[in-house]
Each structure stands twice: as structure tokens, then as C-alpha cells.
Amino acid sequence: MFFPVFGIVIWGIIDAASRPAWAWERAGQNKTLWIILQVVGLVVFGCVGHVVAIIYLVAIRPQLVQAQ
């Protein structure tokens, strides 16, 4: 169970980190906040990181793609 959760969070972190700063600004989001939320959610709370990563991938990532 831990590996799929870990994989989704890592995907979310890598995706968030690879997006340029200007795309984050255009989308009105904070790059550092979303990366930290995913890391802390995984390390401290386990499955919370999974939920945050899904929120990022479903709600925030499409905004960034559209801004690019």
C-alpha cells in the first residue's frame, strides 16, 4: 500500500518542481507551498501526502498546463 502512495506523491513533487516559475505566477499558485505540502504530508502524515498530491494533480496541474 505504501508504494503506490509514495509513487503518486513523488510524481506530484517532480511535476511541481519541473514547472517554470512564470507558469505558477500566471496560474496564481505558489510553487514552494505545493511542493512542501506534498513532502510534509508524505513524511509526517503518510496518506495525507497522497491526498495532497491528488489535489495537486487534479486541480492545480491543469491550471499550470493552461498557463504554459
Side-chain angles (χ1 to χ4, degrees), residues 5-68:
V5 171
F6 185 73
I8 290 173
V9 176
I10 294 301
W11 175 26
I13 292 168
I14 291 171
D15 186 79
S18 67
R19 302 285 171 183
W22 58 265
W24 285 91
E25 291 173 15
R26 281 187 185 172
Q29 298 293 333
N30 187 320
K31 181 177 186 172
T32 306
L33 174 68
W34 279 102
I35 293 171
I36 289 173
L37 283 174
Q38 292 178 78
V39 171
V40 170
L42 179 65
V43 173
V44 177
F45 300 110
C47 286
V48 173
H50 183 232
V51 173
V52 173
I54 289 173
I55 292 169
Y56 166 76
L57 292 168
V58 170
I60 305 303
R61 185 174 185 267
Q63 293 176 18
L64 296 170
V65 170
Q66 185 177 15
Q68 287 182 307

